[in-house]
């Protein structure tokens, strides 16, 4: 039966046996927070590196009643986000939205929305390299053992080398986290600004790496701690200027070129949040910039 | 697998499965995902008009939605009709022993199998472990045993009646060596509650 989708294709594009295989992997991932479950990643109608892991998770999870939001670096209107949103509108016939609060599923590349997500929402991350230890140890057989034995000393050495060379931890994105006190996990290349949002988040977080064929998850209300040292605690960089469009001072900003003379402005990376803030300011009930 | 293995034994009443398998499978999965990511929460599964009488409707729906030829199922010996029904609709393999099964179903009134054989995975591959789907006579949230762990905001309470003897005590011992462990799904009529291996259960 396919009454809400593209004629000639199964609902949400993937065949049912692939969906079941992905669904079983997601269930194990939820049961073992932060552990990378291998899965049989499929060829998708876009290249690896364009969010095939996230798309396969969304395809396995989505139902006709869902409302889908897709962001790329926080924005709903960039090429990758628009393509993926259109893909699911076409193959699953689902409603899509740019409003964080209205979405039941949010697929994201490299950002967590600024608005606190609620219980019942699902955040699907696109992940390029799921293994946080990969740059330290290239062999999968070894990284698997390291996770099994909680052998994470090398990761702390890597962070310590930052401290030794620069006086502080300079890793600014894809900053490793410890999930539920057990597994070191890559949060995907989100800015470390977003790391604190993962901790005890009421929404379910699912991570898909298509090329690397791994799925992992963080259930709602799960402790997620960014790795650090007692004398060099984890901290988030704050911008010293407000968003040039909405005036927000508490959001993650992107630097964009504003004219052809090299002029640059800093604006919210989260386009929905920025728009909401501007609407509020315009209607007079928000904080003045 | 030959065709005659997929066909029900002669004389068996082969009941239908889901009317709309694609949509119903998705709803079963979401219910199961919801239950596993929020331990102690009681979740409704899509109604199944004619499940085999040995199975709780919820267990039957989980079977139809999650099983296929890549998975193996263990059922007690006296549940041949339910096994034939799930094999017909999903193509799942019937495991000879609990040790070979990805999914172990324990219907109401059936003796629990030897849980010491249940697959718990290894420290390197903890996902290669079983899901135990057990029928109980009562599930109630808000009272009973105290649950804490991932998926739970503070604590949750779950009262389970009619579970096989010592099941929850055994379960606590078997999930103590995290990440090894198994997932427990408790079924009562068309409702479920789930206990992933991370859930701490007291009292």
């Amino acid at each position: 039966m396919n009454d809400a989708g593209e004629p000639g294709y199964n609902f949400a594009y993937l065949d049912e046996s692939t969906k079941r295989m992905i669904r079983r992997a997601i269930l194990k991932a939820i049961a073992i927070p932060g552990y990378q479950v291998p899965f049989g990643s499929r060829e998708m109608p876009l290249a690896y590196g364009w969010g095939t892991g996230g798309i396969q998770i969304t395809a396995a999870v989505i139902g006709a009643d869902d409302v889908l939001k897709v962001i790329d670096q926080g924005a709903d209107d960039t090429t990758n986000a628009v393509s993926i949103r259109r893909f699911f509108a076409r193959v699953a016939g689902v409603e899509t939205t740019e409003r964080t609060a209205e979405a039941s599923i949010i697929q994201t590349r490299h950002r967590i929305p600024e608005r606190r997500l609620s219980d019942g929402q699902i955040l699907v991350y696109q992940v390029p390299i799921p293994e946080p230890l990969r740059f330290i140890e290239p062999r999968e057989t070894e990284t698997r053992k390291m996770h099994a034995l909680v052998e994470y000393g090398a990761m702390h050495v890597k962070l310590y080398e930052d401290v030794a060379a620069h006086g502080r931890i300079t890793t600014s994105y894809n900053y490793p986290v410890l999930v539920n006190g057990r597994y070191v996990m890559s949060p995907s290349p989100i800015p470390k600004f977003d790391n604190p949002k993962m901790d005890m988040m009421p929404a379910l977080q699912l991570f898909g790496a298509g090329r690397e064929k791994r799925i992992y998850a963080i259930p709602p209300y799960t402790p997620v701690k960014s790795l650090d040292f007692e004398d060099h605690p984890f901290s988030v960089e704050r911008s010293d200027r407000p968003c040039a469009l909405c005036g927000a001072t508490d959001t993650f900003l992107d630097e964009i070129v504003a004219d052809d003379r090299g002029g640059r402005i800093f604006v919210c990376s989260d386009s929905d949040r920025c728009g909401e803030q501007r609407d509020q300011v315009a209607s007079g009930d928000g904080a003045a910039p | 697998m030959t065709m005659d293995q997929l066909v029900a034994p002669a004389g068996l009443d082969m009941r239908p499965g889901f009317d709309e398998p694609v949509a119903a499978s998705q709803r079963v999965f979401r219910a199961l995902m919801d239950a596993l990511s929020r331990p102690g929460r009681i979740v409704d599964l899509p109604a199944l008009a004619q499940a085999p009488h040995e199975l709780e409707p919820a267990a039957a729906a989980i079977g139809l939605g999650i099983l296929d030829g890549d998975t193996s199922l263990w059922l007690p010996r006296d549940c041949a009709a339910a096994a034939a029904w799930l094999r017909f609709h999903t193509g799942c393999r019937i495991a000879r022993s609990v040790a070979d099964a990805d999914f172990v179903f324990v219907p109401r009134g059936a003796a629990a199998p030897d849980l010491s054989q249940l697959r718990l995975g290894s420290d390197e591959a903890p996902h290669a472990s079983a899901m135990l789907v057990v029928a109980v006579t009562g599930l109630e949230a808000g009272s009973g045993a105290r649950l804490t762990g991932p998926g739970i905001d503070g604590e949750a309470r779950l009262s389970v009646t009619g579970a096989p003897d010592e099941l929850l005590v055994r379960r606590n011992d078997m999930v103590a060596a995290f990440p090894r462990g198994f997932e427990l799904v408790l079924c009562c009529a068309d409702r479920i509650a789930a206990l992933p291996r991370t859930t701490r259960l007291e009292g």
Side-chain angles (χ1 to χ4, degrees):
Chain A
M1 291 291 282
N2 182 23
D3 46 354
E6 181 76 358
Y9 287 86
N10 191 30
F11 175 79
Y13 188 76
L14 290 175
D15 63 273
E16 287 301 298
S17 68
T18 296
K19 283 192 211 165
R20 273 191 300 270
M21 173 269 295
I22 294 171
R23 286 168 181 166
R24 291 191 297 260
I26 291 172
L27 296 179
K28 283 300 174 195
I30 290 168
I32 315 166
Y35 169 75
Q36 301 162 51
V37 180
F39 80 110
S41 181
R42 299 293 187 254
E43 290 283 344
M44 297 301 287
L46 75 174
Y48 282 148
W50 285 80
T52 53
I55 292 173
Q56 290 180 78
I57 288 185
T58 300
V61 166
I62 204 163
D65 302 335
D66 278 307
V67 179
L68 178 70
K69 172 184 165 84
V70 184
I71 51 172
D72 177 1
Q73 304 258 16
D76 297 88
D77 53 3
T78 47
T79 310
N80 195 214
V82 171
S83 313
I84 294 171
R85 204 163 54 235
R86 279 192 191 152
F87 175 73
F88 282 109
R90 189 165 154 187
V91 299
V94 293
E95 190 185 332
T96 61
T97 183
E98 297 192 1
R99 300 216 162 245
T100 302
E102 291 169 4
S104 58
I105 301 173
I106 302 168
Q107 183 173 327
T108 176
R109 172 177 174 272
H110 305 1
R111 266 322 299 282
I112 298 174
E114 304 287 1
R115 172 189 277 271
R116 186 175 156 82
L117 299 182
S118 60
D119 196 328
Q121 288 185 304
I122 301 169
L123 186 59
V124 178
Y125 296 75
Q126 300 170 198
V127 181
I129 299 179
E131 178 50 73
L133 305 168
R134 187 60 71 229
F135 292 107
I136 298 164
E137 172 52 67
R139 289 168 295 180
E140 173 70 13
T141 48
E142 292 304 305
T143 52
R144 226 161 230 292
K145 276 197 194 107
M146 291 162 82
H147 285 295
L149 301 171
V150 202
E151 180 55 69
Y152 294 136
M155 182 58 92
H156 278 99
V157 170
K158 180 178 174 286
L159 295 174
Y160 174 72
E161 282 170 353
D162 271 5
V163 175
H166 308 290
R168 62 188 177 89
I169 298 173
T170 53
T171 304
S172 59
Y173 68 97
N174 209 349
Y175 191 107
V177 295
L178 185 68
V179 179
N180 198 33
R182 177 57 180 79
Y183 281 102
V184 165
M185 189 198 90
S186 161
S188 84
I190 58 172
K192 72 173 179 178
F193 178 92
D194 284 341
N195 274 28
K197 296 176 189 162
M198 306 179 97
D199 184 38
M200 303 304 280
M201 183 190 278
L204 170 64
Q205 302 174 72
L206 302 175
F207 299 78
R211 181 185 52 216
E212 303 289 323
K213 302 174 174 57
R214 294 291 185 277
I215 286 171
Y216 52 101
I218 306 174
Y221 307 111
T222 300
V224 178
K225 189 182 181 306
S226 301
L227 300 183
D228 62 358
F229 301 102
E230 274 174 30
D231 53 345
H232 285 276
F234 175 80
S235 67
V236 160
E237 73 280 8
R238 293 270 171 197
S239 170
D240 51 1
R241 67 192 97 200
C243 168
L245 296 178
C246 74
T249 53
D250 57 348
T251 59
F252 187 77
L253 303 180
D254 283 338
E255 183 181 18
I256 58 170
V257 176
D259 54 41
D260 54 7
R261 296 184 303 279
R264 293 167 305 170
I265 56 170
F266 288 84
V267 301
C268 289
S269 137
D270 184 334
S271 55
D272 175 52
R273 161 65 205 256
C274 193
E276 272 184 359
Q277 181 81 2
R278 273 178 283 158
D279 290 347
Q280 273 188 11
V281 170
S283 65
D285 57 354
Chain B
M1 180 174 283
T2 58
M3 199 56 206
D4 57 9
Q5 282 178 289
L6 280 170
V7 174
L12 271 180
D13 165 28
M14 188 51 66
R15 291 154 185 260
F18 288 128
D19 288 342
E20 294 187 30
V22 173
S25 299
Q26 188 268 344
R27 286 202 301 276
V28 167
F29 164 70
R30 281 288 277 273
L32 199 50
M33 184 170 85
D34 201 20
L36 268 172
S37 56
R38 291 165 183 84
R41 182 182 288 187
I42 294 173
V43 179
D44 292 327
L45 266 75
L48 191 63
Q50 301 183 58
H53 67 273
E54 296 111 311
L55 295 178
E56 295 294 299
I62 290 172
L64 288 185
I66 298 293
L67 298 175
D68 60 22
D70 291 338
T71 54
S72 55
L73 167 71
W74 185 91
L75 270 167
R77 268 180 200 288
D78 51 1
C79 296
W85 181 75
L86 284 169
R87 206 172 62 179
F88 172 77
H89 283 291
T90 71
C92 68
R93 288 173 281 127
I94 302 298
R96 286 168 199 274
S97 73
V98 170
D100 297 328
D102 302 313
F103 291 83
V104 173
F105 280 25
V106 182
R108 197 179 285 197
D114 180 3
L115 291 181
S116 64
Q117 287 189 46
L118 208 60
R119 288 171 57 205
L120 305 180
S122 63
D123 286 340
E124 286 188 27
H127 64 285
S129 47
M131 177 177 279
L132 181 62
V133 179
V134 178
V136 297
T137 53
L139 274 180
E140 199 169 329
S143 64
R146 178 172 180 266
L147 314 184
T148 50
I152 301 166
D153 186 13
E155 65 168 50
R157 298 268 173 182
L158 180 68
S159 162
V160 181
T161 46
D165 287 347
E166 301 293 303
L167 172 71
L168 297 178
V169 176
R170 288 292 311 280
R171 176 261 174 201
N172 283 355
D173 293 342
M174 291 171 70
V175 299
F178 187 85
R180 281 174 287 153
F182 69 98
E183 277 53 67
L184 176 59
V185 178
L186 303 162
C187 303
C188 180
D190 55 1
R191 302 180 310 147
I192 60 167
L195 299 176
R197 66 193 71 187
T198 48
T199 303
R200 206 166 149 208
L201 176 89
E202 296 159 289

